[in-house]
Amino acid sequence: MKIGNGYNNYLNAVRQNQTNAQNKELTTKPGHAEKEESVQVNISDAAKQLAKTNNTELPSAKIEAIKKAVLDGTYEVSPEKISGSMLETMKNQRK
């Protein structure tokens, strides 16, 4: 059975890409920017709404209390709550 040399091929390709990038930087004249193609990005309405809610909400008192308890070493983990939430999340993912 022959084992391929894929990892070495990968490393050689990475090194070649790095060398090519360095050579490209050296050959580009300072002050002369290359013309780049513009890219149009469309953000969905759901993503926009999510961004708004994430940016406007400040950490609540509950979150601050949890952070303080973790730093003090007094935070207690409830395995029942964690496993219940995990099961609920898995059930929702199947839907």
Side-chain angles (χ1 to χ4, degrees), residues 14-29:
V14 169
R15 288 183 187 126
Q16 185 64 39
N17 285 339
Q18 289 173 342
T19 303
N20 290 344
Q22 289 172 351
N23 289 341
K24 185 177 181 181
E25 288 176 9
L26 293 176
T27 58
T28 304
K29 294 181 181 179

Side-chain angles (χ1 to χ4, degrees), residues 20-75:
N20 290 344
Q22 289 172 351
N23 289 341
K24 185 177 181 181
E25 288 176 9
L26 293 176
T27 58
T28 304
K29 294 181 181 179
H32 292 106
E34 291 184 25
K35 185 177 180 180
E36 295 182 10
E37 293 183 29
S38 63
V39 177
Q40 185 177 7
V41 177
N42 295 320
I43 301 173
S44 69
D45 292 334
K48 290 176 187 175
Q49 185 65 29
L50 182 62
K52 284 181 185 177
T53 57
N54 286 341
N55 290 335
T56 58
E57 293 177 5
L58 298 175
S60 67
K62 185 176 181 180
I63 293 173
E64 292 301 323
I66 292 172
K67 285 182 182 179
K68 186 177 184 303
V70 169
L71 291 174
D72 293 343
T74 59
Y75 182 75

